[in-house]
Amino acid sequence: MLEIGTEDPGLIAEPDGYINVMWPKAEALQMPEGQGRMRQIIGWIAIVGFVVLFGGLAILDRNDVSRARAKKL
């Protein structure tokens, strides 16, 4: 239940200047855990993918630099 009162009780069509709001009683609240877990799984897969991708690129670049140095010798 939510009650809002004002200092000026001049709200038209409201007794005593108050607004009363009532919501139906909820039996239980349940968080959408399936969606949250799916987002976490997708996020971890994306992070691991980026690490593998950029790690592979770093190794390839390192090999290219080593080959370039070997050609200069």
Short mmCIF file of all heavy atoms in Angstrom, two decimals:
data_model
loop_
_atom_site.label_atom_id
_atom_site.label_comp_id
_atom_site.label_asym_id
_atom_site.label_seq_id
_atom_site.Cartn_x
_atom_site.Cartn_y
_atom_site.Cartn_z
N MET A 1 0.84 -1.17 0.00
CA MET A 1 0.00 0.00 0.00
C MET A 1 0.89 1.23 0.00
O MET A 1 1.91 1.27 0.66
CB MET A 1 -0.91 -0.02 1.22
CG MET A 1 -1.89 1.07 1.26
SD MET A 1 -3.07 0.71 2.59
CE MET A 1 -3.77 2.29 2.76
N LEU A 2 0.49 2.24 -0.74
CA LEU A 2 1.23 3.49 -0.83
C LEU A 2 0.28 4.63 -0.51
O LEU A 2 -0.79 4.73 -1.10
CB LEU A 2 1.81 3.65 -2.24
CG LEU A 2 2.45 4.99 -2.57
CD1 LEU A 2 3.73 5.17 -1.75
CD2 LEU A 2 2.75 5.08 -4.04
N GLU A 3 0.68 5.46 0.41
CA GLU A 3 -0.11 6.64 0.74
C GLU A 3 0.74 7.87 0.53
O GLU A 3 1.87 7.93 0.99
CB GLU A 3 -0.61 6.58 2.18
CG GLU A 3 -1.62 5.50 2.44
CD GLU A 3 -2.17 5.55 3.86
OE1 GLU A 3 -1.80 6.48 4.61
OE2 GLU A 3 -2.95 4.67 4.20
N ILE A 4 0.18 8.85 -0.17
CA ILE A 4 0.88 10.10 -0.43
C ILE A 4 0.04 11.23 0.14
O ILE A 4 -1.13 11.37 -0.19
CB ILE A 4 1.10 10.32 -1.94
CG1 ILE A 4 1.92 9.16 -2.51
CG2 ILE A 4 1.77 11.65 -2.20
CD1 ILE A 4 2.04 9.19 -4.00
N GLY A 5 0.62 12.00 1.01
CA GLY A 5 -0.08 13.13 1.59
C GLY A 5 0.57 14.44 1.18
O GLY A 5 1.75 14.50 0.87
N THR A 6 -0.19 15.48 1.15
CA THR A 6 0.35 16.79 0.80
C THR A 6 0.09 17.75 1.96
O THR A 6 -0.78 17.53 2.80
CB THR A 6 -0.33 17.34 -0.47
OG1 THR A 6 -1.72 17.51 -0.21
CG2 THR A 6 -0.13 16.41 -1.64
N GLU A 7 0.85 18.83 1.98
CA GLU A 7 0.63 19.85 2.99
C GLU A 7 -0.66 20.61 2.71
O GLU A 7 -1.34 21.06 3.60
CB GLU A 7 1.82 20.80 3.03
CG GLU A 7 3.07 20.15 3.54
CD GLU A 7 4.26 21.11 3.53
OE1 GLU A 7 4.07 22.30 3.28
OE2 GLU A 7 5.37 20.63 3.78
N ASP A 8 -0.97 20.76 1.43
CA ASP A 8 -2.19 21.45 1.03
C ASP A 8 -3.24 20.39 0.67
O ASP A 8 -3.13 19.75 -0.37
CB ASP A 8 -1.91 22.34 -0.18
CG ASP A 8 -3.15 23.08 -0.62
OD1 ASP A 8 -4.08 23.23 0.18
OD2 ASP A 8 -3.19 23.49 -1.80
N PRO A 9 -4.22 20.17 1.53
CA PRO A 9 -5.21 19.13 1.24
C PRO A 9 -6.23 19.56 0.20
O PRO A 9 -7.41 19.38 0.36
CB PRO A 9 -5.86 18.88 2.60
CG PRO A 9 -5.75 20.18 3.31
CD PRO A 9 -4.47 20.80 2.82
N GLY A 10 -5.78 20.15 -0.87
CA GLY A 10 -6.69 20.66 -1.89
C GLY A 10 -6.79 19.78 -3.11
O GLY A 10 -7.11 20.27 -4.19
N LEU A 11 -6.50 18.50 -2.99
CA LEU A 11 -6.64 17.61 -4.15
C LEU A 11 -8.12 17.42 -4.45
O LEU A 11 -8.91 17.04 -3.59
CB LEU A 11 -5.98 16.27 -3.89
CG LEU A 11 -4.45 16.27 -3.77
CD1 LEU A 11 -3.96 14.88 -3.39
CD2 LEU A 11 -3.82 16.70 -5.08
N ILE A 12 -8.47 17.67 -5.67
CA ILE A 12 -9.86 17.57 -6.08
C ILE A 12 -10.29 16.11 -6.11
O ILE A 12 -9.57 15.26 -6.60
CB ILE A 12 -10.05 18.22 -7.47
CG1 ILE A 12 -9.67 19.70 -7.39
CG2 ILE A 12 -11.46 18.05 -7.98
CD1 ILE A 12 -9.64 20.40 -8.71
N ALA A 13 -11.44 15.83 -5.60
CA ALA A 13 -12.06 14.50 -5.60
C ALA A 13 -11.31 13.50 -4.73
O ALA A 13 -11.50 12.30 -4.89
CB ALA A 13 -12.22 13.97 -7.01
N GLU A 14 -10.46 13.95 -3.84
CA GLU A 14 -9.77 13.04 -2.93
C GLU A 14 -10.08 13.46 -1.50
O GLU A 14 -9.87 14.61 -1.12
CB GLU A 14 -8.25 13.07 -3.15
CG GLU A 14 -7.82 12.53 -4.48
CD GLU A 14 -8.18 11.07 -4.68
OE1 GLU A 14 -8.17 10.30 -3.70
OE2 GLU A 14 -8.51 10.71 -5.80
N PRO A 15 -10.57 12.53 -0.70
CA PRO A 15 -10.92 12.89 0.68
C PRO A 15 -9.66 13.20 1.50
O PRO A 15 -8.68 12.48 1.43
CB PRO A 15 -11.65 11.65 1.20
CG PRO A 15 -11.18 10.54 0.33
CD PRO A 15 -10.87 11.15 -1.00
N ASP A 16 -9.68 14.25 2.22
CA ASP A 16 -8.61 14.66 3.14
C ASP A 16 -7.28 14.92 2.45
O ASP A 16 -6.24 14.94 3.09
CB ASP A 16 -8.42 13.62 4.25
CG ASP A 16 -9.69 13.45 5.08
OD1 ASP A 16 -10.41 14.44 5.24
OD2 ASP A 16 -9.92 12.31 5.53
N GLY A 17 -7.24 15.05 1.13
CA GLY A 17 -6.01 15.38 0.43
C GLY A 17 -5.03 14.23 0.30
O GLY A 17 -3.86 14.45 0.05
N TYR A 18 -5.47 13.01 0.45
CA TYR A 18 -4.60 11.84 0.36
C TYR A 18 -4.91 11.03 -0.89
O TYR A 18 -6.06 10.93 -1.30
CB TYR A 18 -4.76 10.93 1.58
CG TYR A 18 -4.18 11.51 2.84
CD1 TYR A 18 -5.00 12.12 3.77
CD2 TYR A 18 -2.82 11.45 3.09
CE1 TYR A 18 -4.48 12.66 4.93
CE2 TYR A 18 -2.29 11.99 4.25
CZ TYR A 18 -3.12 12.59 5.17
OH TYR A 18 -2.60 13.11 6.31
N ILE A 19 -3.87 10.44 -1.45
CA ILE A 19 -4.02 9.50 -2.56
C ILE A 19 -3.65 8.13 -2.02
O ILE A 19 -2.56 7.93 -1.51
CB ILE A 19 -3.11 9.87 -3.74
CG1 ILE A 19 -3.47 11.24 -4.28
CG2 ILE A 19 -3.21 8.81 -4.84
CD1 ILE A 19 -2.51 11.74 -5.34
N ASN A 20 -4.54 7.19 -2.12
CA ASN A 20 -4.29 5.83 -1.67
C ASN A 20 -4.18 4.92 -2.88
O ASN A 20 -5.06 4.92 -3.74
CB ASN A 20 -5.40 5.32 -0.75
CG ASN A 20 -5.47 6.10 0.53
OD1 ASN A 20 -4.45 6.39 1.12
ND2 ASN A 20 -6.67 6.45 0.95
N VAL A 21 -3.12 4.15 -2.92
CA VAL A 21 -2.91 3.19 -4.01
C VAL A 21 -2.74 1.82 -3.39
O VAL A 21 -1.96 1.65 -2.46
CB VAL A 21 -1.64 3.55 -4.84
CG1 VAL A 21 -1.45 2.56 -5.96
CG2 VAL A 21 -1.74 4.96 -5.37
N MET A 22 -3.47 0.83 -3.90
CA MET A 22 -3.36 -0.53 -3.38
C MET A 22 -3.11 -1.49 -4.54
O MET A 22 -3.77 -1.40 -5.56
CB MET A 22 -4.63 -0.94 -2.65
CG MET A 22 -4.89 -0.18 -1.41
SD MET A 22 -6.35 -0.84 -0.61
CE MET A 22 -6.30 0.00 0.92
N TRP A 23 -2.11 -2.35 -4.36
CA TRP A 23 -1.80 -3.37 -5.34
C TRP A 23 -2.30 -4.72 -4.83
O TRP A 23 -2.36 -4.93 -3.62
CB TRP A 23 -0.29 -3.45 -5.56
CG TRP A 23 0.25 -2.31 -6.34
CD1 TRP A 23 0.30 -2.19 -7.68
CD2 TRP A 23 0.83 -1.11 -5.81
NE1 TRP A 23 0.87 -1.00 -8.03
CE2 TRP A 23 1.21 -0.32 -6.91
CE3 TRP A 23 1.07 -0.64 -4.52
CZ2 TRP A 23 1.80 0.92 -6.76
CZ3 TRP A 23 1.67 0.60 -4.37
CH2 TRP A 23 2.02 1.36 -5.48
N PRO A 24 -2.59 -5.64 -5.73
CA PRO A 24 -2.99 -6.97 -5.25
C PRO A 24 -1.82 -7.65 -4.55
O PRO A 24 -0.66 -7.41 -4.87
CB PRO A 24 -3.38 -7.72 -6.52
CG PRO A 24 -2.80 -6.95 -7.65
CD PRO A 24 -2.61 -5.55 -7.18
N LYS A 25 -2.15 -8.49 -3.59
CA LYS A 25 -1.13 -9.17 -2.82
C LYS A 25 -0.45 -10.23 -3.70
O LYS A 25 -1.12 -11.03 -4.35
CB LYS A 25 -1.75 -9.83 -1.60
CG LYS A 25 -0.76 -10.36 -0.62
CD LYS A 25 -1.45 -10.83 0.64
CE LYS A 25 -0.43 -11.23 1.66
NZ LYS A 25 -1.06 -11.64 2.91
N ALA A 26 0.87 -10.24 -3.69
CA ALA A 26 1.63 -11.21 -4.48
C ALA A 26 1.95 -12.41 -3.60
O ALA A 26 2.34 -12.26 -2.44
CB ALA A 26 2.92 -10.58 -4.99
N GLU A 27 1.80 -13.59 -4.15
CA GLU A 27 2.10 -14.81 -3.41
C GLU A 27 3.61 -14.95 -3.18
O GLU A 27 4.06 -15.22 -2.10
CB GLU A 27 1.57 -16.03 -4.16
CG GLU A 27 0.07 -16.07 -4.25
CD GLU A 27 -0.61 -16.23 -2.91
OE1 GLU A 27 -0.06 -16.92 -2.04
OE2 GLU A 27 -1.68 -15.63 -2.72
N ALA A 28 4.39 -14.77 -4.26
CA ALA A 28 5.84 -14.92 -4.15
C ALA A 28 6.50 -14.16 -5.30
O ALA A 28 5.92 -14.00 -6.36
CB ALA A 28 6.24 -16.38 -4.20
N LEU A 29 7.69 -13.69 -5.05
CA LEU A 29 8.48 -13.04 -6.10
C LEU A 29 9.59 -13.98 -6.52
O LEU A 29 10.24 -14.61 -5.69
CB LEU A 29 9.07 -11.73 -5.58
CG LEU A 29 8.06 -10.66 -5.20
CD1 LEU A 29 8.79 -9.45 -4.62
CD2 LEU A 29 7.23 -10.24 -6.39
N GLN A 30 9.80 -14.05 -7.81
CA GLN A 30 10.83 -14.96 -8.31
C GLN A 30 11.67 -14.22 -9.34
O GLN A 30 11.15 -13.60 -10.26
CB GLN A 30 10.17 -16.18 -8.96
CG GLN A 30 11.12 -17.27 -9.31
CD GLN A 30 10.35 -18.49 -9.80
OE1 GLN A 30 9.20 -18.41 -10.16
NE2 GLN A 30 11.03 -19.62 -9.82
N MET A 31 12.98 -14.26 -9.15
CA MET A 31 13.89 -13.60 -10.07
C MET A 31 14.10 -14.47 -11.30
O MET A 31 14.13 -15.69 -11.19
CB MET A 31 15.24 -13.35 -9.39
CG MET A 31 15.16 -12.42 -8.20
SD MET A 31 14.58 -10.78 -8.63
CE MET A 31 15.95 -10.19 -9.57
N PRO A 32 14.25 -13.86 -12.47
CA PRO A 32 14.48 -14.64 -13.70
C PRO A 32 15.92 -15.13 -13.77
O PRO A 32 16.77 -14.53 -14.43
CB PRO A 32 14.16 -13.64 -14.81
CG PRO A 32 14.44 -12.31 -14.20
CD PRO A 32 14.09 -12.45 -12.73
N GLU A 33 16.23 -16.20 -13.07
CA GLU A 33 17.60 -16.69 -12.98
C GLU A 33 18.09 -17.28 -14.29
O GLU A 33 19.27 -17.23 -14.60
CB GLU A 33 17.71 -17.73 -11.87
CG GLU A 33 17.51 -17.15 -10.50
CD GLU A 33 17.64 -18.19 -9.41
OE1 GLU A 33 18.20 -19.26 -9.67
OE2 GLU A 33 17.16 -17.91 -8.30
N GLY A 34 17.20 -17.85 -15.08
CA GLY A 34 17.61 -18.47 -16.34
C GLY A 34 18.22 -17.46 -17.29
O GLY A 34 19.24 -17.71 -17.92
N GLN A 35 17.61 -16.29 -17.40
CA GLN A 35 18.13 -15.26 -18.29
C GLN A 35 19.47 -14.74 -17.79
O GLN A 35 20.39 -14.50 -18.57
CB GLN A 35 17.14 -14.11 -18.39
CG GLN A 35 15.86 -14.47 -19.10
CD GLN A 35 14.87 -13.33 -19.08
OE1 GLN A 35 15.10 -12.30 -18.46
NE2 GLN A 35 13.77 -13.52 -19.77
N GLY A 36 19.59 -14.54 -16.49
CA GLY A 36 20.85 -14.04 -15.92
C GLY A 36 21.98 -15.03 -16.11
O GLY A 36 23.10 -14.65 -16.47
N ARG A 37 21.70 -16.29 -15.92
CA ARG A 37 22.74 -17.31 -16.11
C ARG A 37 23.15 -17.41 -17.57
O ARG A 37 24.33 -17.58 -17.87
CB ARG A 37 22.25 -18.66 -15.60
CG ARG A 37 22.12 -18.71 -14.11
CD ARG A 37 21.98 -20.13 -13.63
NE ARG A 37 21.49 -20.19 -12.27
CZ ARG A 37 22.26 -20.11 -11.20
NH1 ARG A 37 23.54 -19.95 -11.34
NH2 ARG A 37 21.75 -20.17 -9.99
N MET A 38 22.20 -17.30 -18.48
CA MET A 38 22.52 -17.36 -19.90
C MET A 38 23.42 -16.18 -20.29
O MET A 38 24.38 -16.35 -21.03
CB MET A 38 21.24 -17.36 -20.73
CG MET A 38 21.50 -17.48 -22.21
SD MET A 38 22.43 -18.95 -22.69
CE MET A 38 21.22 -20.21 -22.43
N ARG A 39 23.12 -15.01 -19.77
CA ARG A 39 23.99 -13.84 -20.05
C ARG A 39 25.38 -14.04 -19.49
O ARG A 39 26.37 -13.66 -20.12
CB ARG A 39 23.37 -12.58 -19.45
CG ARG A 39 22.26 -12.03 -20.29
CD ARG A 39 21.84 -10.67 -19.79
NE ARG A 39 20.38 -10.70 -19.76
CZ ARG A 39 19.64 -10.22 -18.79
NH1 ARG A 39 20.20 -9.64 -17.76
NH2 ARG A 39 18.35 -10.30 -18.83
N GLN A 40 25.50 -14.64 -18.30
CA GLN A 40 26.81 -14.90 -17.73
C GLN A 40 27.59 -15.89 -18.58
O GLN A 40 28.78 -15.70 -18.83
CB GLN A 40 26.66 -15.44 -16.31
CG GLN A 40 26.23 -14.42 -15.31
CD GLN A 40 26.01 -15.02 -13.93
OE1 GLN A 40 26.06 -16.24 -13.76
NE2 GLN A 40 25.75 -14.18 -12.95
N ILE A 41 26.92 -16.93 -19.02
CA ILE A 41 27.60 -17.94 -19.86
C ILE A 41 28.07 -17.32 -21.16
O ILE A 41 29.23 -17.52 -21.57
CB ILE A 41 26.65 -19.13 -20.11
CG1 ILE A 41 26.43 -19.92 -18.82
CG2 ILE A 41 27.20 -20.05 -21.20
CD1 ILE A 41 25.32 -20.94 -18.90
N ILE A 42 27.22 -16.54 -21.80
CA ILE A 42 27.60 -15.89 -23.05
C ILE A 42 28.75 -14.91 -22.81
O ILE A 42 29.69 -14.82 -23.60
CB ILE A 42 26.39 -15.18 -23.68
CG1 ILE A 42 25.39 -16.23 -24.17
CG2 ILE A 42 26.81 -14.27 -24.82
CD1 ILE A 42 24.06 -15.66 -24.61
N GLY A 43 28.71 -14.19 -21.70
CA GLY A 43 29.79 -13.25 -21.37
C GLY A 43 31.11 -13.95 -21.17
O GLY A 43 32.15 -13.50 -21.67
N TRP A 44 31.10 -15.07 -20.42
CA TRP A 44 32.35 -15.82 -20.19
C TRP A 44 32.88 -16.40 -21.50
O TRP A 44 34.09 -16.38 -21.74
CB TRP A 44 32.13 -16.93 -19.17
CG TRP A 44 32.18 -16.42 -17.76
CD1 TRP A 44 31.14 -16.29 -16.91
CD2 TRP A 44 33.33 -15.94 -17.06
NE1 TRP A 44 31.57 -15.76 -15.72
CE2 TRP A 44 32.92 -15.55 -15.78
CE3 TRP A 44 34.68 -15.81 -17.40
CZ2 TRP A 44 33.79 -15.04 -14.84
CZ3 TRP A 44 35.55 -15.30 -16.45
CH2 TRP A 44 35.11 -14.92 -15.19
N ILE A 45 32.00 -16.89 -22.35
CA ILE A 45 32.45 -17.42 -23.65
C ILE A 45 33.08 -16.31 -24.47
O ILE A 45 34.12 -16.51 -25.11
CB ILE A 45 31.28 -18.09 -24.40
CG1 ILE A 45 30.87 -19.38 -23.68
CG2 ILE A 45 31.62 -18.36 -25.84
CD1 ILE A 45 29.59 -20.01 -24.20
N ALA A 46 32.48 -15.12 -24.46
CA ALA A 46 33.03 -13.99 -25.21
C ALA A 46 34.40 -13.59 -24.66
O ALA A 46 35.34 -13.33 -25.43
CB ALA A 46 32.07 -12.80 -25.15
N ILE A 47 34.56 -13.54 -23.35
CA ILE A 47 35.84 -13.17 -22.75
C ILE A 47 36.92 -14.19 -23.11
O ILE A 47 38.04 -13.82 -23.51
CB ILE A 47 35.71 -13.03 -21.22
CG1 ILE A 47 34.90 -11.77 -20.89
CG2 ILE A 47 37.08 -12.97 -20.55
CD1 ILE A 47 34.52 -11.65 -19.44
N VAL A 48 36.59 -15.47 -22.98
CA VAL A 48 37.56 -16.51 -23.32
C VAL A 48 37.90 -16.44 -24.81
O VAL A 48 39.07 -16.57 -25.19
CB VAL A 48 37.02 -17.91 -22.93
CG1 VAL A 48 37.87 -19.02 -23.52
CG2 VAL A 48 36.93 -18.04 -21.43
N GLY A 49 36.90 -16.18 -25.65
CA GLY A 49 37.16 -16.05 -27.09
C GLY A 49 38.10 -14.90 -27.40
O GLY A 49 39.02 -15.04 -28.22
N PHE A 50 37.90 -13.75 -26.75
CA PHE A 50 38.80 -12.61 -26.96
C PHE A 50 40.21 -12.92 -26.51
O PHE A 50 41.19 -12.57 -27.18
CB PHE A 50 38.29 -11.36 -26.23
CG PHE A 50 37.15 -10.68 -26.92
CD1 PHE A 50 35.99 -10.39 -26.23
CD2 PHE A 50 37.22 -10.33 -28.25
CE1 PHE A 50 34.93 -9.76 -26.85
CE2 PHE A 50 36.17 -9.69 -28.89
CZ PHE A 50 35.03 -9.41 -28.19
N VAL A 51 40.35 -13.58 -25.36
CA VAL A 51 41.68 -13.92 -24.86
C VAL A 51 42.38 -14.86 -25.83
O VAL A 51 43.56 -14.66 -26.17
CB VAL A 51 41.59 -14.54 -23.44
CG1 VAL A 51 42.91 -15.16 -23.02
CG2 VAL A 51 41.15 -13.48 -22.44
N VAL A 52 41.67 -15.87 -26.32
CA VAL A 52 42.26 -16.81 -27.27
C VAL A 52 42.62 -16.11 -28.57
O VAL A 52 43.71 -16.29 -29.12
CB VAL A 52 41.30 -18.00 -27.52
CG1 VAL A 52 41.75 -18.84 -28.69
CG2 VAL A 52 41.18 -18.85 -26.26
N LEU A 53 41.71 -15.28 -29.08
CA LEU A 53 41.96 -14.56 -30.33
C LEU A 53 43.18 -13.66 -30.23
O LEU A 53 44.10 -13.75 -31.05
CB LEU A 53 40.73 -13.74 -30.72
CG LEU A 53 40.89 -12.82 -31.93
CD1 LEU A 53 41.06 -13.65 -33.20
CD2 LEU A 53 39.72 -11.88 -32.05
N PHE A 54 43.21 -12.79 -29.24
CA PHE A 54 44.31 -11.85 -29.14
C PHE A 54 45.61 -12.52 -28.69
O PHE A 54 46.69 -12.09 -29.06
CB PHE A 54 43.94 -10.68 -28.22
CG PHE A 54 42.95 -9.75 -28.85
CD1 PHE A 54 41.65 -9.68 -28.38
CD2 PHE A 54 43.30 -8.99 -29.95
CE1 PHE A 54 40.73 -8.83 -28.97
CE2 PHE A 54 42.39 -8.14 -30.56
CZ PHE A 54 41.10 -8.07 -30.07
N GLY A 55 45.49 -13.59 -27.91
CA GLY A 55 46.70 -14.36 -27.58
C GLY A 55 47.29 -15.00 -28.82
O GLY A 55 48.50 -14.99 -29.03
N GLY A 56 46.42 -15.57 -29.68
CA GLY A 56 46.89 -16.15 -30.93
C GLY A 56 47.51 -15.10 -31.85
O GLY A 56 48.55 -15.34 -32.48
N LEU A 57 46.89 -13.93 -31.92
CA LEU A 57 47.45 -12.86 -32.74
C LEU A 57 48.81 -12.40 -32.21
O LEU A 57 49.72 -12.10 -32.99
CB LEU A 57 46.49 -11.67 -32.81
CG LEU A 57 45.21 -11.90 -33.61
CD1 LEU A 57 44.28 -10.69 -33.46
CD2 LEU A 57 45.52 -12.15 -35.07
N ALA A 58 48.96 -12.34 -30.90
CA ALA A 58 50.24 -11.95 -30.31
C ALA A 58 51.32 -12.98 -30.63
O ALA A 58 52.46 -12.63 -30.94
CB ALA A 58 50.10 -11.77 -28.80
N ILE A 59 50.97 -14.25 -30.56
CA ILE A 59 51.95 -15.30 -30.87
C ILE A 59 52.33 -15.25 -32.35
O ILE A 59 53.51 -15.37 -32.69
CB ILE A 59 51.38 -16.68 -30.49
CG1 ILE A 59 51.31 -16.79 -28.97
CG2 ILE A 59 52.21 -17.81 -31.08
CD1 ILE A 59 50.57 -18.02 -28.48
N LEU A 60 51.34 -15.04 -33.24
CA LEU A 60 51.64 -14.95 -34.67
C LEU A 60 52.53 -13.75 -34.97
O LEU A 60 53.47 -13.84 -35.77
CB LEU A 60 50.35 -14.86 -35.48
CG LEU A 60 49.52 -16.14 -35.56
CD1 LEU A 60 48.22 -15.86 -36.29
CD2 LEU A 60 50.30 -17.24 -36.24
N ASP A 61 52.25 -12.62 -34.33
CA ASP A 61 53.06 -11.42 -34.54
C ASP A 61 54.48 -11.65 -34.02
O ASP A 61 55.45 -11.22 -34.64
CB ASP A 61 52.43 -10.22 -33.85
CG ASP A 61 53.16 -8.94 -34.18
OD1 ASP A 61 53.37 -8.68 -35.38
OD2 ASP A 61 53.51 -8.20 -33.23
N ARG A 62 54.60 -12.33 -32.92
CA ARG A 62 55.91 -12.62 -32.35
C ARG A 62 56.71 -13.52 -33.29
O ARG A 62 57.91 -13.31 -33.50
CB ARG A 62 55.72 -13.32 -30.99
CG ARG A 62 56.94 -13.39 -30.17
CD ARG A 62 56.50 -13.68 -28.75
NE ARG A 62 57.39 -14.64 -28.14
CZ ARG A 62 57.09 -15.38 -27.11
NH1 ARG A 62 55.88 -15.33 -26.62
NH2 ARG A 62 57.96 -16.18 -26.57
N ASN A 63 56.03 -14.50 -33.89
CA ASN A 63 56.70 -15.37 -34.85
C ASN A 63 57.14 -14.60 -36.09
O ASN A 63 58.21 -14.83 -36.63
CB ASN A 63 55.80 -16.54 -35.25
CG ASN A 63 55.60 -17.53 -34.12
OD1 ASN A 63 56.39 -17.57 -33.19
ND2 ASN A 63 54.53 -18.29 -34.20
N ASP A 64 56.29 -13.67 -36.55
CA ASP A 64 56.65 -12.85 -37.71
C ASP A 64 57.87 -11.97 -37.42
O ASP A 64 58.75 -11.81 -38.26
CB ASP A 64 55.48 -11.97 -38.14
CG ASP A 64 54.33 -12.77 -38.75
OD1 ASP A 64 54.58 -13.93 -39.17
OD2 ASP A 64 53.21 -12.24 -38.81
N VAL A 65 57.93 -11.41 -36.22
CA VAL A 65 59.07 -10.58 -35.83
C VAL A 65 60.33 -11.43 -35.77
O VAL A 65 61.40 -11.02 -36.23
CB VAL A 65 58.79 -9.87 -34.48
CG1 VAL A 65 60.04 -9.21 -33.95
CG2 VAL A 65 57.67 -8.86 -34.63
N SER A 66 60.22 -12.64 -35.22
CA SER A 66 61.37 -13.54 -35.14
C SER A 66 61.86 -13.92 -36.53
O SER A 66 63.07 -13.96 -36.79
CB SER A 66 61.01 -14.81 -34.37
OG SER A 66 60.66 -14.50 -33.05
N ARG A 67 60.95 -14.17 -37.46
CA ARG A 67 61.33 -14.51 -38.83
C ARG A 67 62.01 -13.33 -39.52
O ARG A 67 62.98 -13.49 -40.26
CB ARG A 67 60.11 -14.95 -39.62
CG ARG A 67 59.62 -16.31 -39.26
CD ARG A 67 58.45 -16.73 -40.15
NE ARG A 67 57.75 -17.82 -39.51
CZ ARG A 67 56.45 -17.98 -39.49
NH1 ARG A 67 55.66 -17.09 -40.08
NH2 ARG A 67 55.90 -19.00 -38.88
N ALA A 68 61.50 -12.12 -39.28
CA ALA A 68 62.08 -10.94 -39.90
C ALA A 68 63.50 -10.72 -39.38
O ALA A 68 64.40 -10.36 -40.14
CB ALA A 68 61.20 -9.72 -39.61
N ARG A 69 63.71 -10.95 -38.11
CA ARG A 69 65.07 -10.79 -37.54
C ARG A 69 66.01 -11.86 -38.09
O ARG A 69 67.17 -11.59 -38.34
CB ARG A 69 65.02 -10.88 -36.02
CG ARG A 69 64.44 -9.66 -35.38
CD ARG A 69 64.48 -9.76 -33.88
NE ARG A 69 63.79 -8.62 -33.28
CZ ARG A 69 63.46 -8.55 -32.02
NH1 ARG A 69 63.74 -9.56 -31.21
NH2 ARG A 69 62.86 -7.50 -31.56
N ALA A 70 65.50 -13.08 -38.27
CA ALA A 70 66.34 -14.16 -38.79
C ALA A 70 66.76 -13.86 -40.23
O ALA A 70 67.87 -14.19 -40.64
CB ALA A 70 65.59 -15.48 -38.71
N LYS A 71 65.89 -13.24 -41.02
CA LYS A 71 66.23 -12.91 -42.40
C LYS A 71 67.29 -11.82 -42.45
O LYS A 71 68.12 -11.79 -43.36
CB LYS A 71 64.97 -12.43 -43.15
CG LYS A 71 64.03 -13.57 -43.51
CD LYS A 71 62.86 -13.05 -44.29
CE LYS A 71 61.88 -14.16 -44.60
NZ LYS A 71 60.72 -13.68 -45.34
N LYS A 72 67.29 -10.89 -41.49
CA LYS A 72 68.28 -9.82 -41.49
C LYS A 72 69.66 -10.34 -41.15
O LYS A 72 70.66 -9.80 -41.58
CB LYS A 72 67.89 -8.75 -40.45
CG LYS A 72 66.72 -7.90 -40.91
CD LYS A 72 66.44 -6.83 -39.86
CE LYS A 72 65.25 -6.00 -40.28
NZ LYS A 72 64.94 -4.96 -39.32
N LEU A 73 69.75 -11.43 -40.40
CA LEU A 73 71.04 -11.98 -40.02
C LEU A 73 71.58 -12.74 -41.17
O LEU A 73 72.50 -12.84 -41.73
CB LEU A 73 70.91 -12.91 -38.81
CG LEU A 73 70.48 -12.21 -37.51
CD1 LEU A 73 70.29 -13.28 -36.43
CD2 LEU A 73 71.52 -11.23 -37.05
#
